[in-house]
Amino acid sequence: MSGRKLRLGVVGAGHLGTIHTRLLRSIDDVELVGVSDPSPAARRRIADEFQIETFEDHRPLLGRIDAAIVAAPTRDHYWIGMELAEAGVHLLVEKPMTATVAEADALIRAARARNLVLQVGHVERFNPAFAAACQIPSPRYVEAVRASGYTGRSIDVGVVLDLMIHDIDLVLSLVGSELVEVHAVGTAVLGPHEDMAHAQLRFADGCLATLNASRTSYQAQRTMQVFGEQGYAAIDFATGSVKTIRPGELVRRRQIDVRQLGAEDRRQLQQRLFTDLLLVEDLQPEKRNAILDEQHDFVISIRTGQKPQVTGQHGRDALAVAARILERIAEPQPADRRAPPLQGPHWELAPQSTPVRTRKAG
């Protein structure tokens, strides 16, 4: 491989596969060999747009590529990844890594046995706005909301594996403590999988994380708030904006006690609260293409042998937490509960609705 470009293929020509294909063409050290997808229409679109060779599946790429980006449906990640790994191909597998934790473990073993790079596409780790959250030491509370309208993509999984898993991975990277307790509710709206979910995660160090995800929301939102003993960060992943609040000198030294303040001092405290008592800073991180940075990290890891920023183990750990959340969502509710259950997935278990008949006028 030394002295020549890295030969790379893309498996899957859907939304993400198309983005990966377009961006890979801008990396000087990469030769994009081809793209595979079972859909003739998708292959024609890719061939017309990028003037690149396409295939019905990934097997014709074997022996012609050094690395691959797997952007196929989640149910296919495992067997495609295993066939590529067995052929000695380095892997960047889109999230969720696989459909089950057992599949993730097997894929990690296969890559490790052949000394291959196995990276997982948790692209929010490369979002410049997330770096602000990493500056808050010892998080005590994290709250994340990830909501969108219905896109029609990733319908083979529910919203936990589709959207919430992004924030699961981010929280795990921030907290670094054992997960000890999970509570969750969710509901299916448009199919057999949950389309809305709420989860609470409690860690051994006392940190609490609240995660909300929806793909049937009328308002798009990708935000995270991180509260620590020495500050707070509010992140908008969509806009890349970050607001941090840190205690000023008087607050850090515990020199303010509102119980000892008179009326005039309290009035002045209100005016000074977000100037010299709590220091507010609006950050504008550098605008970058997170997916392109993720691809560069993949190429560098292959070239140098260093670990990627998001390893197979990271992807596996996020998947394991997602599995625990789904288990809690699926748990039966107490028999005496009167309110309609939020638990899901429940599509196949829902009673058949009776069509509403309208009476003709007259």
Side-chain angles (χ1 to χ4, degrees):
M1 193 186 306
S2 177
R4 63 171 173 81
K5 290 186 175 183
L6 186 72
R7 302 173 303 171
L8 204 146
V10 176
V11 181
H15 176 70
L16 272 177
T18 300
I19 294 174
H20 277 296
T21 300
R22 183 177 68 251
L23 294 176
L24 283 169
R25 290 159 57 86
S26 68
I27 302 178
D28 292 335
D29 194 30
V30 166
E31 176 192 350
L32 184 56
V33 175
V35 178
S36 69
D37 196 283
S39 166
R43 294 199 300 274
R44 284 194 299 270
R45 174 176 53 78
I46 291 292
D48 291 343
E49 183 174 353
F50 302 110
Q51 291 76 53
I52 192 169
E53 192 172 6
T54 61
F55 308 92
E56 186 173 357
D57 62 54
H58 62 280
R59 294 183 180 94
L61 291 168
L62 300 180
R64 299 177 57 186
I65 59 174
D66 308 303
I69 295 177
V70 179
T74 300
R75 64 177 179 271
D76 298 326
H77 284 186
Y78 170 68
W79 69 271
I80 291 175
M82 288 296 288
E83 289 192 0
L84 290 167
E86 288 169 357
V89 176
H90 300 281
L91 295 171
L92 194 170
V93 182
E94 271 299 343
K95 62 80 197 168
M97 179 180 175
T98 53
T100 68
V101 175
E103 289 178 348
D105 287 335
L107 191 54
I108 290 171
R109 288 194 298 269
R112 186 175 296 153
R114 295 163 179 82
N115 198 29
L116 299 172
V117 171
L118 174 56
Q119 182 173 334
V120 181
H122 286 289
V123 70
E124 292 287 32
R125 292 269 207 109
F126 296 87
N127 192 318
F130 180 62
C134 298
Q135 298 174 13
I136 304 298
S138 304
R140 309 309 298 158
Y141 177 67
V142 182
E143 183 173 358
V145 178
R146 192 167 294 260
S148 70
Y150 197 75
T151 65
R153 300 192 296 268
S154 300
I155 59 175
D156 60 324
V157 296
V159 75
V160 172
L161 291 178
D162 182 17
L163 297 182
M164 185 181 285
I165 197 164
H166 280 297
D167 295 315
I168 293 172
D169 174 67
L170 294 180
V171 167
L172 292 180
S173 71
L174 283 172
V175 177
S177 179
E178 181 185 359
L179 179 63
V180 295
E181 192 173 1
V182 175
H183 297 280
V185 293
T187 187
V189 179
L190 300 174
H193 305 292
E194 79 289 345
D195 295 304
M196 295 183 289
H198 168 87
Q200 286 189 331
L201 312 178
R202 186 170 65 84
F203 294 87
D205 67 354
C207 182
L208 181 68
T210 300
L211 310 180
N212 294 281
S214 172
R215 57 186 185 187
T216 52
S217 174
Y218 65 89
Q219 184 176 9
Q221 186 175 352
R222 289 163 53 201
T223 60
M224 177 175 284
Q225 300 178 73
V226 182
F227 298 81
E229 295 178 356
Q230 297 299 320
Y232 156 87
I235 305 164
D236 189 324
F237 290 106
T239 64
S241 61
V242 184
K243 184 186 293 291
T244 62
I245 301 177
R246 299 180 184 275
E249 189 70 17
L250 293 177
V251 175
R252 283 201 305 271
R253 294 182 178 181
R254 301 290 186 182
Q255 292 181 345
I256 298 210
D257 186 346
V258 293
R259 298 170 299 178
Q260 307 300 322
L261 299 181
E264 178 60 21
D265 290 333
R266 291 186 184 184
R267 185 184 66 80
Q268 291 184 11
L269 183 145
Q270 289 178 332
Q271 297 174 348
R272 299 169 55 202
L273 183 60
F274 293 110
T275 55
D276 57 342
L277 298 180
L278 298 176
L279 309 179
V280 181
E281 185 176 7
D282 287 303
L283 306 177
Q284 292 298 327
E286 178 187 3
K287 299 294 184 182
R288 300 185 62 86
N289 188 309
I291 295 180
L292 182 58
D293 287 346
E294 176 186 60
Q295 292 179 346
H296 277 291
D297 187 49
F298 183 45
V299 173
I300 291 171
S301 297
I302 296 170
R303 289 297 195 190
T304 66
Q306 71 183 35
K307 288 185 177 181
Q309 188 165 328
V310 185
T311 65
Q313 187 64 45
H314 291 138
R316 185 263 183 210
D317 291 344
L319 184 63
V321 175
R324 291 180 64 176
I325 291 171
L326 289 171
E327 288 173 2
R328 293 306 301 266
I329 288 176
E331 286 179 355
Q333 289 295 290
D336 60 351
R337 178 169 176 163
R338 296 180 182 180
L342 281 176
Q343 306 302 86
H346 57 73
W347 191 265
E348 285 86 358
L349 303 181
Q352 294 295 320
S353 60
T354 304
V356 178
R357 301 184 182 278
T358 57
R359 182 179 298 176
K360 293 183 179 180

